[in-house]
Amino acid sequence: MLNKQDLLNEAHTMLSKAYVPYSKFPVGAALLTKSGKLYTGCNIENAAYPVSCCAERVAIFKAIADGEDEFIEMAVIADTERPVPPCGSCRQVMSEFFKGDMIIHLTNLKNEVKTVSMNELLPFSFQPSDLNKN
């Protein structure tokens, strides 16, 4: 089983694979599933900016497409002053697939790490159960 440092290292490796010709802001992510599989992601930009995809969502979507649906831990890294926070779109996708107590490690190239739960990252998130009409 991978430990926290292994997960951070895998996310860091993904920085070099990011396709960021417009923002020049590479982000890497690594996601560990309950079954022990690792899924990685990097941000992939497009000249039509809205169709770009963040590293966190790439990793999550790869795992979901592979049939995984239980997640244990995630790491996200970028060259930022503070540990990189996921954007709002990523937080919403994460809240769809991650349990509230799942651990997410946010880091930067200075090796500063902020570890939060999904509930801390996005409190009072919109959930699939909110779509149920009574």
Side-chain angles (χ1 to χ4, degrees), residues 4 7-8 73-76 103-107 113-115:
K4 174 182 167 182
L7 205 57
L8 292 167
E73 203 169 358
M74 181 177 234
V76 183
I103 297 299
I104 302 149
H105 307 289
L106 311 174
T107 189
V113 178
K114 180 168 181 69
T115 299

Side-chain angles (χ1 to χ4, degrees), residues 25-102:
F25 185 73
V27 179
L31 175 62
L32 182 61
T33 68
K34 186 176 180 181
S35 68
K37 290 183 182 176
L38 176 71
Y39 291 87
T40 56
C42 59
N43 50 328
I44 303 167
E45 296 179 346
N46 189 282
Y49 296 146
V51 297
S52 298
C53 197
C54 299
E56 300 93 323
R57 286 182 281 149
V58 169
I60 293 166
F61 295 162
K62 285 168 59 176
I64 295 296
D66 203 25
E68 296 287 340
D69 63 358
E70 293 188 69
F71 305 101
I72 295 178
E73 203 169 358
M74 181 177 234
V76 183
I77 186 171
D79 187 7
T80 49
E81 283 300 309
R82 61 182 177 160
V84 65
C87 74
S89 294
C90 285
R91 290 176 196 221
Q92 181 58 43
V93 169
M94 293 162 83
S95 76
E96 176 91 8
F97 296 107
F98 298 169
K99 291 181 180 173
D101 61 352
M102 188 176 130

